[in-house]
Amino acid sequence: MGNTDSKLNFRKAVIQLTTKTQPVEATDDAFWDQFWADTATTVQDVFALVPAAEIRAVREESPSNLATLCYKAVEKLVQAAESGCPSEKEKQIVLNCSRMLTRILPYIFEDQDWRGFFWSTVPGAGRAVTDEMDDDGARPLAESLLLAMADLLFCPDFTVNSHRRGPDSVEDMQTIDSCEYIWEAGVGFAQSPPLNYIHDLNRTELLRLLLTCFSEAMYLPPSSDNTILNPWVSFFCSTENRHALPLFTSLVNVVCAYDPVGYGIPYNHLLFSDYREQLVEQAVQILIVTLEHDGGGLAHRPPSPSSMEDQDSVGPDNLFVNYLSRIHREEDYDFVLKGLARLLVNPLMQTYLPNSTKKIQFHQELLVLFWKLCDFNKKFLFFVLKSSDVLDILVPILFYLNDARADQSRVGLMHIGVFILLLLSGERNFGVRLNKPYSVHVPMDIPVFTGTHADLLIVVFHKIITSGHQRLQPLFDCLLTIVVNVSPYLKSLSMVAANKLLHLLEAFSTNWFLFSASQNHHLVFFLLEAFNNIIQYQFDGNCNLVYAIIRKRNLFHQLANLPSDPASIQKALLRKRKSPDAITGISRTSSQETVSMEGSRPAVPAEPGTLKTSLVAIPAIDKLTEKSQVSEDGTMISVLKMEHSHASHHTPQADHTTQADHTPQAVHGAIVGASDTESVSGRDNEDVFYTEAEMERRRMSSTSSTISCTSQSHWAPTPDWVLSWKCKLPLQTIMRLLQVLVPQVEKICIDKGLTDESEILKFLQHGTLVGLLPVPHPILIRKYQANAGTAMWFRTYMWGVVYLRNVDPPIWYDTDVRLFEIQKM
């Protein structure tokens, strides 16, 4: 009964706040204490008892009351941090103040006039700061709040055990050897702290408020200006926060030490609440948000010993990024990598008892964290790639890509997975690791095959292209770039994977598809480059691919003889598809390919009513990557914007548009006939900063010109355009291979009356083309390069994930978010 009375009293206080016409004095403690002193409300209660309309009403009609409420709540948190929360009542006040601020802050951020409120100092707020600050005046309210929360996260018997508290000062940058602090266990990275559910719950509440403080970024429109930093994140990750190091290491430890399976007791997650999962989810979200701000890129570069003195004098822009970039002990790398791999593979686990194992849902945040680790700490990236452990990350990523390919609400997940693989594929070791046999067989609805992880990658990519939704079209260039990057190192593709690659070439090289959009021919160049790499550098082990090329030799002859006269172009564009399954049915060479892996389920679209957040467009592949040439000793030399392969036929870019916008039948049919999608790259630089809806508005009013002095939506293929890239198709190596091998294979078949392809494969396996092929071309790798476009994409994606994942309570739901648009499927 007492709890009901408590909620009733709390509700009455909220009504009083909204109905009082006169400002309530800050000294009226009896009134303000009603919000936190004697209430036993949960965060869900606070969200239910403080409606959005009433917060906005106070903001508009009684602004001084809202201001005082915020000041008093922060004041209580600062006092609690200074006293150390010795009593249960003080601990309850901290939780209640945290919940109230979590509820109110989004409504302060959504109003431009209020956004600077927490960064101002107001007379009478001096009690909310420490004594040493009084000489220079009060701290801004935001700083007081952030410092108080940092202290409270290491408060004995509240958020940590009483035997351990965080260090009194941030260590000297030069002496940091590793991550030495952890919540509740003052030991190294690889130790899991003892569980204390009350401490976990209290930390979770404070981290939720911290994440809400950082969320001001959601209320600003997308901007190409990377120098505009989130002031909340900048201050929290600065040297002003004496707990920056222990907080960073505690967050990393909590995430990487978490084991959702625990002791493996079936259905244990149904019998007991896992409070640690809530903490881990908040921790990983705090990490990715704080690591998004690197102070204009300066922290990207870990300091060298010779520059340490300069580093000390200047100081790091973001301590979290700095600490992440400086982790260097192999045991720490191993701990982090194994922890992330364990969590990423968790949703893939199968047991004989259905639904008996707990499955986590925060894999998107984990992928962003892994991306940040690889991006900021190149030594970690090299550690990941130097052993087969990278495959423990690859397999779950491919699972997520395959699983999400038909769901438009998960297009962001598709992008982050592909970006990670693009980053990894820029390193030689990744291609080498892909040759390891694939024997795990996670439940994916892809053809059963016997082969390597390279086969798995190609089969999944084929599935994404041929049975994904149309919004994945801009990713085709990225997918094929990954294949090209790894192709020089693939020792033996399976017949299934070889047929999938030839099927993609068949789909992308049809005349009507090549002539449907100005960028479509790039996909053919990528595939031809991949075939050339394998033939020139890995011919000996790839008899399956060579046989598939011989069987489909007409594709290469058709490309060499591609018509370019106006009549043929028009005829190709007018060609209608005869059967909806004409292309997807091609290349079924064996019944084995129709069998999916055990336990697999086909990808399904989003449930009706699913919320999704919009994303800004990604840059074209030539903006996403920079070319590097592999020299004879294996080192990479950066290649300046040279003409090579498909890049040499880039036409001046038109306004970014998807062909589906203006010829839906042509392109959608083209690849659902050929592979269910269509590739579009080649955006204007400026377009990467607009949401899809804004780009549509811009397209409608666009009057900019292209080659033919019309907008892209009126683009039409011309004979000159076809000839400009047709003459550069890299067909010489394949044509020479066919010229040599086809007569030999035909002769064997005639002489021996062969109908069994295994004999032909045996012949190809022991054959050689040494001295018969053109001189091997240099290996060209397209390495991912950071740019303003992808930085903006990551910001919108990351905050979109945070927005959608925080539904209990729904912190930002129904507030005026401007970084992205929220759409219902």
Side-chain angles (χ1 to χ4, degrees):
M1 185 66 188
N3 194 31
T4 305
D5 290 340
S6 176
K7 290 180 184 178
L8 193 59
N9 292 336
F10 181 80
R11 179 66 191 137
K12 284 179 182 175
V14 173
I15 294 171
Q16 281 181 294
L17 188 70
T18 55
T19 55
K20 281 183 181 289
T21 53
Q22 296 298 318
V24 183
E25 291 294 328
T27 53
D28 187 355
D29 289 336
F31 175 78
W32 297 113
D33 284 350
Q34 296 176 93
F35 293 100
W36 38 71
D38 300 313
T39 56
T41 53
T42 64
V43 67
Q44 288 79 10
D45 291 335
V46 170
F47 273 68
L49 296 171
V50 188
E54 293 184 16
I55 301 174
R56 290 191 175 109
V58 175
R59 187 185 70 196
E60 304 303 325
E61 297 161 22
S62 308
S64 63
N65 284 348
L66 181 59
T68 307
L69 179 65
C70 293
Y71 273 117
K72 298 296 285 186
V74 174
E75 181 181 54
K76 289 292 181 186
L77 292 176
V78 172
Q79 289 171 350
E82 291 174 349
S83 68
C85 295
S87 68
E88 288 301 316
K89 182 178 180 181
E90 285 180 276
K91 292 171 186 171
Q92 189 61 50
I93 288 174
V94 168
L95 296 175
N96 289 335
C97 289
S98 298
R99 293 160 186 164
M100 181 61 84
L101 287 170
T102 301
R103 180 60 171 151
I104 292 171
L105 275 169
Y107 298 92
I108 286 178
F109 292 151
E110 73 176 7
D111 189 313
Q112 186 173 350
D113 294 334
W114 274 84
R115 222 166 275 148
F117 165 71
F118 268 83
W119 294 96
S120 60
T121 54
V122 174
R127 288 182 299 157
V129 296
T130 55
D131 293 337
E132 63 265 21
M133 285 300 299
D134 288 341
D135 297 335
D136 302 319
R139 273 190 182 278
L141 199 61
E143 294 185 5
S144 298
L145 174 58
L146 291 171
L147 293 177
M149 278 195 289
D151 284 342
L152 289 167
L153 282 166
F154 290 97
C155 185
D157 290 326
F158 181 52
T159 49
V160 294
N161 288 341
S162 57
H163 64 76
R164 173 73 184 178
R165 186 169 182 151
D168 291 330
S169 61
V170 175
E171 285 196 27
D172 176 26
M173 293 283 293
Q174 290 184 343
T175 63
I176 294 172
D177 177 60
S178 179
C179 301
E180 298 173 356
Y181 298 97
I182 183 169
W183 274 325
E184 297 187 357
V187 288
F189 236 178
Q191 296 292 322
S192 178
L195 297 183
N196 185 315
Y197 292 137
I198 301 302
H199 293 176
D200 280 355
L201 287 171
N202 294 343
R203 284 189 209 128
T204 303
E205 296 265 12
L206 291 172
L207 291 179
R208 185 186 292 120
L209 173 56
L210 193 58
L211 191 63
T212 308
C213 290
F214 294 160
S215 69
E216 181 182 310
M218 281 195 208
Y219 298 89
L220 304 173
S223 166
S224 60
D225 189 351
N226 276 351
T227 62
I228 300 174
L229 297 181
N230 185 325
W232 296 84
V233 172
S234 297
F235 180 81
F236 189 77
C237 297
S238 73
T239 51
E240 293 273 357
N241 181 1
R242 69 192 179 107
H243 293 302
L245 177 61
L247 270 168
F248 169 76
T249 51
S250 293
L251 291 167
V252 172
N253 271 289
V254 160
V255 173
C256 295
Y258 177 57
D259 185 358
V261 177
Y263 293 110
I265 302 169
Y267 303 107
N268 62 338
H269 61 290
L270 302 179
L271 303 174
F272 312 102
S273 295
D274 183 0
Y275 298 107
R276 176 130 299 210
E277 182 184 12
Q278 300 169 31
L279 174 65
V280 172
E281 193 167 325
Q282 294 291 326
V284 72
Q285 289 175 4
I286 292 285
L287 273 173
I288 63 175
V289 168
T290 51
L291 293 171
E292 198 256 334
H293 287 271
D294 65 350
L298 296 176
H300 264 283
R301 299 182 291 276
S304 61
S306 61
S307 67
M308 286 301 291
E309 292 179 12
D310 295 334
Q311 183 75 23
D312 281 341
S313 61
V314 175
D317 291 305
N318 181 320
L319 288 176
F320 276 34
V321 172
N322 192 280
Y323 296 148
L324 186 76
S325 70
R326 299 181 62 147
I327 301 170
H328 61 275
R329 295 196 317 183
E330 293 227 342
E331 53 265 43
D332 290 339
Y333 289 153
D334 187 63
F335 168 69
V336 171
L337 180 59
K338 281 186 165 51
L340 293 178
R342 178 176 59 250
L343 293 174
L344 285 171
V345 83
N346 165 265
L348 288 59
M349 294 173 64
Q350 290 192 101
T351 57
Y352 291 108
L353 299 170
N355 302 317
S356 64
T357 304
K358 180 181 180 62
K359 291 189 177 3
I360 61 159
Q361 303 296 321
F362 51 90
H363 46 271
Q364 294 191 84
E365 295 96 316
L366 291 168
L367 290 175
V368 176
L369 179 58
F370 179 77
W371 171 272
K372 293 295 180 189
L373 279 157
C374 292
D375 195 25
F376 287 139
N377 193 321
K378 295 306 176 192
K379 288 181 180 177
F380 175 78
L381 175 60
F382 298 143
F383 175 85
V384 170
L385 291 168
K386 80 175 185 180
S387 74
S388 296
D389 289 344
V390 67
L391 303 176
D392 296 333
I393 300 290
L394 170 72
V395 172
I397 288 176
L398 292 176
F399 172 86
Y400 295 129
L401 292 178
N402 187 62
D403 188 55
R405 69 181 189 274
D407 183 349
Q408 291 201 34
S409 69
R410 292 196 281 172
V411 68
L413 169 60
M414 299 294 296
H415 279 72
I416 180 67
V418 171
F419 283 162
I420 289 173
L421 297 183
L422 181 63
L423 179 73
L424 295 175
S425 73
E427 306 296 335
R428 175 185 176 276
N429 274 358
F430 181 67
V432 173
R433 299 294 164 228
L434 290 179
N435 291 305
K436 184 177 180 181
Y438 174 67
S439 56
V440 182
H441 297 303
V442 298
M444 284 192 263
D445 61 323
I446 56 173
V448 173
F449 67 90
T450 302
T452 65
H453 284 77
D455 297 309
L456 176 68
L457 180 130
I458 289 169
V459 169
V460 169
F461 282 10
H462 176 272
K463 195 84 173 180
I464 293 168
I465 292 171
T466 57
S467 62
H469 56 79
Q470 274 188 299
R471 289 186 64 210
L472 299 181
Q473 292 161 9
L475 283 178
F476 285 11
D477 281 351
C478 284
L479 292 171
L480 295 188
T481 297
I482 294 164
V483 173
V484 172
N485 281 349
V486 302
S487 59
Y489 313 110
L490 305 184
K491 294 184 180 299
S492 58
L493 288 182
S494 68
M495 185 62 81
V496 172
N499 284 332
K500 296 303 182 190
L501 287 177
L502 267 297
H503 178 222
L504 290 180
L505 182 68
E506 186 168 14
F508 292 144
S509 64
T510 56
N511 294 1
W512 70 280
F513 178 72
L514 285 172
F515 300 155
S516 292
S518 63
Q519 309 292 325
N520 284 357
H521 61 282
H522 292 176
L523 303 174
V524 172
F525 276 85
F526 279 127
L527 285 166
L528 291 177
E529 189 177 341
F531 293 150
N532 287 339
N533 282 341
I534 293 173
I535 292 167
Q536 291 277 23
Y537 291 98
Q538 301 291 347
F539 177 83
D540 290 348
N542 275 292
C543 58
N544 288 324
L545 181 66
V546 173
Y547 178 60
I549 288 173
I550 291 173
R551 284 183 63 250
K552 292 290 182 181
R553 58 191 177 277
N554 63 309
L555 293 178
F556 303 97
H557 292 298
Q558 287 169 9
L559 276 172
N561 299 307
L562 186 72
S564 58
D565 58 285
S568 297
I569 291 173
Q570 288 308 311
K571 183 180 177 183
L573 291 174
L574 292 172
R575 174 180 170 264
K576 299 293 182 187
R577 300 221 19 236
K578 294 178 182 177
S579 158
D581 294 322
I583 304 289
T584 49
I586 291 175
S587 292
R588 299 274 189 194
T589 56
S590 72
S591 59
Q592 182 189 32
E593 289 194 45
T594 63
V595 180
S596 286
M597 294 185 178
E598 185 180 353
S600 66
R601 296 191 308 268
V604 293
E607 294 268 337
T610 301
L611 291 180
K612 74 182 183 79
T613 54
S614 64
L615 291 163
V616 295
I618 60 168
I621 192 66
D622 56 335
K623 302 284 194 307
L624 269 178
T625 55
E626 60 182 1
K627 298 184 183 69
S628 295
Q629 192 169 299
V630 182
S631 60
E632 290 183 11
D633 61 358
T635 57
M636 290 192 185
I637 308 160
S638 183
V639 180
L640 298 175
K641 302 289 181 182
M642 59 178 277
E643 291 193 345
H644 182 89
S645 176
H646 84 291
S648 58
H649 19 273
H650 274 204
T651 52
Q653 300 303 328
D655 274 4
H656 165 60
T657 183
T658 56
Q659 191 72 12
D661 291 333
H662 46 86
T663 55
Q665 296 305 317
V667 177
H668 181 54
I671 300 226
V672 182
S675 36
D676 258 0
T677 27
E678 162 255 352
S679 172
V680 176
S681 60
R683 302 165 172 73
D684 273 346
N685 255 350
E686 56 181 346
D687 269 345
V688 297
F689 305 118
Y690 291 91
T691 63
E692 292 141 1
E694 177 64 18
M695 284 194 294
E696 183 61 36
R697 288 192 289 273
R698 286 166 57 76
R699 282 199 291 269
M700 298 298 287
S701 60
S702 173
T703 56
S704 60
S705 61
T706 66
I707 319 171
S708 55
C709 298
T710 59
S711 72
Q712 170 84 6
S713 56
H714 300 106
W715 175 86
T718 63
D720 287 344
W721 170 78
V722 176
L723 290 171
S724 72
W725 54 263
K726 176 188 170 183
C727 64
K728 295 167 184 168
L729 283 166
L731 288 166
Q732 298 84 348
T733 298
I734 293 174
M735 287 306 195
R736 183 64 182 147
L737 176 145
L738 294 174
Q739 185 184 0
V740 173
L741 292 181
V742 170
Q744 296 181 22
V745 170
E746 288 178 342
K747 185 174 187 303
I748 291 173
C749 291
I750 293 169
D751 291 350
K752 298 189 177 180
L754 288 181
T755 54
D756 182 8
E757 63 184 30
S758 63
E759 287 293 325
I760 301 169
L761 289 170
K762 195 177 294 183
F763 163 73
L764 293 173
Q765 197 170 1
H766 295 99
T768 179
L769 291 177
V770 174
L772 298 174
L773 294 179
V775 176
H777 56 279
I779 296 175
L780 200 70
I781 302 295
R782 294 168 182 85
K783 294 171 73 78
Y784 168 82
Q785 62 172 356
N787 60 74
T790 50
M792 192 63 244
W793 184 90
F794 270 100
R795 187 173 307 156
T796 55
Y797 169 64
M798 177 187 69
W799 279 114
V801 169
V802 171
Y803 177 97
L804 294 172
R805 295 282 301 130
N806 284 273
V807 293
D808 185 25
I811 300 175
W812 301 282
Y813 182 73
D814 218 17
T815 61
D816 189 19
V817 170
R818 299 187 64 202
L819 184 63
F820 44 76
E821 295 175 8
I822 297 98
Q823 299 139 356
K824 190 169 280 193
M825 300 291 289

